């Protein structure tokens, strides 16, 4: 199973509640650019797992038209200070059922999740809208690639 872990797009700094922080126009633009790039690598998604926080939801809303009909699940565990272990276990349980999966979440969880899936991997850095792909086989992950908006060819 291929798992792409994505950090949400750039979001406003000030909000009364962290869960209510919205994407900026830059966040929408960079998320869209990354999704267009991802579409070339992985044209089909079987499942999308998204944080319940507004900025992650808006990231998915910004890119969903590129991937057609796909099952989307909101997981309460995909919040910034969620625990990587239970999320990684959930992903491992999907192995064999799902071929291509996108996870949209937050720092620091995204880095810890990749490290949990790929135990020999140092948690990667994630700028906003960045993605890391992991090949998950028999519960063990191998990092395939990492991409970020500033690395895309213009």
């Amino acid at each position: 199973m291929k798992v792409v872990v994505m950090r949400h797009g750039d979001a406003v700094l000030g909000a009364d509640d962290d869960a209510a922080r919205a994407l900026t126009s830059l966040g929408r633009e960079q998320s869209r650019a990354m999704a267009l790039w991802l579409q070339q690598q992985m044209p089909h998604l079987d499942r999308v797992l998204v944080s319940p926080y507004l900025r992650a939801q808006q990231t998915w809303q910004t890119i969903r038209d590129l991937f057609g009909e796909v099952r989307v699940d909101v997981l309460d565990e995909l919040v910034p200070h969620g625990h990587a272990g239970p999320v990684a276990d959930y992903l491992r349980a999907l192995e064999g059922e799902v071929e291509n999966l996108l996870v949209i979440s937050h720092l620091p969880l995204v880095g810890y999740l990749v490290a949990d899936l790929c135990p020999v991997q140092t948690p990667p850095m994630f700028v906003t809208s960045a993605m890391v792909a992991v090949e998950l086989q028999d519960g063990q992950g191998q990092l395939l690639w990492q991409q970020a908006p500033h690395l895309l060819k213009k």
Side-chain angles (χ1 to χ4, degrees), residues 88-101:
D89 290 344
Y90 184 82
L91 296 179
R92 288 182 182 102
L94 293 175
E95 197 178 341
E97 177 184 330
V98 174
E99 186 177 332
N100 296 314
L101 178 105

Side-chain angles (χ1 to χ4, degrees), residues 38-59:
L38 177 61
Q39 193 179 40
Q40 301 304 310
Q41 318 308 308
M42 184 184 287
H44 171 75
L45 292 174
D46 298 304
R47 180 97 45 102
V48 178
L49 305 177
V50 186
S51 161
Y53 283 23
L54 180 62
R55 58 194 179 272
Q57 292 288 317
Q58 289 177 331
T59 298

Side-chain angles (χ1 to χ4, degrees), residues 29-91:
E29 178 184 313
Q30 289 181 334
S31 294
R32 184 87 180 167
M34 287 296 296
L36 287 166
W37 181 86
L38 177 61
Q39 193 179 40
Q40 301 304 310
Q41 318 308 308
M42 184 184 287
H44 171 75
L45 292 174
D46 298 304
R47 180 97 45 102
V48 178
L49 305 177
V50 186
S51 161
Y53 283 23
L54 180 62
R55 58 194 179 272
Q57 292 288 317
Q58 289 177 331
T59 298
W60 172 242
Q61 291 165 3
T62 300
I63 67 174
R64 68 178 172 206
D65 66 301
L66 298 174
F67 297 101
E69 290 295 318
V70 60
R71 178 176 165 178
V72 179
D73 295 326
V74 176
L75 290 184
D76 291 337
E77 295 84 359
L78 291 176
V79 295
H81 295 287
H83 297 286
V87 176
D89 290 344
Y90 184 82
L91 296 179

Side-chain angles (χ1 to χ4, degrees), residues 114-145:
V114 172
D116 193 299
L117 294 172
C118 306
V120 297
Q121 184 69 41
T122 301
M125 295 300 298
F126 276 84
V127 297
T128 52
S129 299
M131 297 178 176
V132 170
V134 173
E135 178 76 36
L136 194 59
Q137 185 172 6
D138 298 324
Q140 295 299 311
Q142 177 182 352
L143 194 135
L144 299 176
W145 51 257

